[in-house]
Amino acid sequence: MQDRLAPLYSQHLATLRERADKALALGNFDHLVIASGTPLRKFLDDQDYPFVANPHFRHWLPLNIPGSWIVYTPGHKPKLIFLQPKDYWHVVPAAPSGYWVEHFDIEIVRDATDAVALLPNASTRRAIIGPECPAVPGAEANNPQAVLDYLHWHRSYKTPYELELMREASRVGTRAHRAAEQAFRAGESEIGIHMAYLAAADQIDAELPYASIVALNEHGAVLHYTHFDRKAPAQSRSFLIDAGGSAAGYASDITRTYAAKGHAEFQALIDSVDAAQRGFAGKVRAGQSYPDLHIHAHHVLAEVLREHGIIRMSAESAVSSGVTSAFFPHGLGHPIGLQVHDVAGFQASETGGTIARPQGHPYLRMTRVLEPGMVVTIEPGLYFIDMLLEEVRAKPVSSEIDWARVERLRPYGGIRIEDDVVCTDGEPENLTRDAFALIG
């Protein structure tokens, strides 16, 4: 893979330099200085949280190391100030190597003070991108808004290098999903399934892009369920897993739902949601409004609810009355890349601004029109969430719902199916389905 990445990285870096030139000019800055960041200390403790480098740093380099800096001055080769501390408590980062090193002037330092001393002089105009806390004396982040707005807007358009890494992240995730499904079918507990996932991904929890959701039975109704029961249930009826993989900082975000053998009614509902999800993914095309696609998903899922006898009302009535929002209470998806919920999902232009969510859909995470190079998740769901169902019971539309059927389906929790999809100049590229196809 390294040989494949080398030419792609060269093109990627040229694109980043061009974007940085324009961003600095907009903000009237001489230098772009990017901090990798430092580990966050746990409150009242002498231990740190697992370190994750500033995504702006990882955009330039496939590194996740603390205390280091990228310095870019238009017209000059970018510089990496690489912190390689004298330390016998931890594994010291190896000297830089790989397909990217020839593109940087690299200076290795032994402590953070030396690193700061190599930054452009404080009297120059420096756009310093990094976390505001903890501050680094002599190199406090200023995160100028004009620079961030421009960089975030253009980070929405993935380079071929980034897409190749996202394909690899999808391969990691789908391989682990297959192992998790097998563990479910073998009767494992939630923690047992999770351990099988980690082993197949060959990544520890801290390396995954987000905390995995591994939910058996009614736990699938908890949208962000991260509890992990240690004991397998007496009967495993259903399994929802929302988990991804990482590749050089790039994320995959994948969800699948399974019914245990012999649970035909719930399996049929899964099949209908899966068919609907494929249809939504097929609409990830240039010019498609993401909010319009989200509203379209509500209408299609209303028809799924009607088809399965859960509601008796029309799709239009189900959407306008808020009934579909009780069964599908989250957004259709979000941008994804270096961050699972990637930047600029609501941004109006490269100079900032915000595109509001459609009324009545407060949890939608993207409001932009799709363009080539964007990568988004498509994750419709249907759930049986007691709190939301009780709210619907109190409304006049309650009579349009088959509550006996709802009661039969409640023990299964819910369904969510999620793919990562690339908008192109033509047919969308479904990173998730393609990766599953590779493993059969």
Side-chain angles (χ1 to χ4, degrees), residues 75-211:
H76 296 269
K77 191 175 184 178
K79 178 166 68 174
L80 170 65
I81 303 169
F82 186 91
L83 179 61
Q84 193 181 49
K86 293 180 178 179
D87 185 359
Y88 56 83
W89 291 97
H90 307 96
V91 174
V92 176
S97 64
Y99 56 83
W100 56 270
V101 294
E102 66 181 277
H103 300 285
F104 281 78
D105 288 331
I106 300 173
E107 298 199 48
I108 296 177
V109 296
R110 299 303 182 189
D111 61 60
T113 303
D114 290 342
V116 171
L118 292 173
L119 299 180
N121 192 287
S123 64
T124 62
R125 294 170 298 182
R126 307 181 301 178
I128 303 180
I129 309 299
E132 297 174 0
C133 181
V136 180
E140 292 81 5
N142 53 12
N143 293 316
Q145 196 61 51
V147 174
L148 288 179
D149 284 340
Y150 188 89
L151 295 179
H152 286 171
W153 176 265
H154 288 279
R155 212 172 90 197
S156 300
Y157 310 107
K158 304 300 186 280
T159 65
Y161 168 77
E162 294 179 281
L163 291 175
E164 188 58 30
L165 288 171
M166 294 187 73
R167 292 183 190 104
E168 177 60 21
S170 293
R171 290 189 284 267
V172 171
T174 53
R175 181 175 70 235
H177 268 258
R178 278 283 186 257
E181 181 194 359
Q182 292 167 4
F184 158 64
R185 305 247 180 240
E188 287 282 356
S189 65
E190 290 168 347
I191 190 68
I193 295 170
H194 179 58
M195 297 306 291
Y197 186 94
L198 294 178
D202 196 25
Q203 295 181 347
I204 63 173
D205 281 287
E207 293 172 311
L208 297 179
Y210 59 97

Side-chain angles (χ1 to χ4, degrees), residues 274-423:
D274 183 71
Q277 192 271 351
R278 288 173 184 260
F280 306 148
K283 291 182 179 293
V284 175
R285 294 173 180 268
Q288 171 68 58
S289 159
Y290 198 82
D292 287 353
L293 184 55
H294 169 79
I295 300 299
H296 169 70
H298 271 267
H299 285 83
V300 173
L301 291 173
E303 293 295 348
V304 170
L305 291 169
R306 276 173 52 83
E307 174 193 345
H308 289 267
I310 297 167
I311 64 173
R312 290 181 283 267
M313 60 205 309
S314 70
E316 286 291 337
S317 296
V319 175
S320 63
S321 65
V323 167
T324 54
S325 292
F327 291 96
F328 174 37
H330 57 76
L332 182 62
H334 49 81
I336 183 170
L338 281 165
Q339 294 169 270
V340 178
H341 299 150
D342 216 359
V343 292
F346 302 102
Q347 198 166 320
S349 74
E350 63 185 28
T351 57
T354 301
I355 304 170
R357 298 179 177 96
Q359 187 175 2
H361 298 272
Y363 301 114
L364 184 60
R365 290 192 172 109
M366 183 172 180
T367 52
R368 286 173 64 178
V369 171
L370 296 175
E371 297 179 68
M374 291 181 173
V375 186
V376 295
T377 67
I378 298 294
E379 50 178 309
L382 289 178
Y383 310 87
F384 301 91
I385 301 171
D386 289 344
M387 181 182 79
L388 300 182
L389 293 174
E390 287 306 311
E391 292 175 2
V392 174
R393 277 184 186 272
K395 296 179 179 180
V397 292
S398 176
S399 62
E400 297 295 323
I401 296 171
D402 185 336
W403 291 105
R405 191 174 294 271
V406 168
E407 195 61 28
R408 285 206 309 273
L409 291 167
R410 277 181 63 251
Y412 296 93
I415 299 164
R416 182 163 65 253
I417 298 170
E418 178 180 22
D419 293 341
D420 303 339
V421 187
V422 184
C423 182

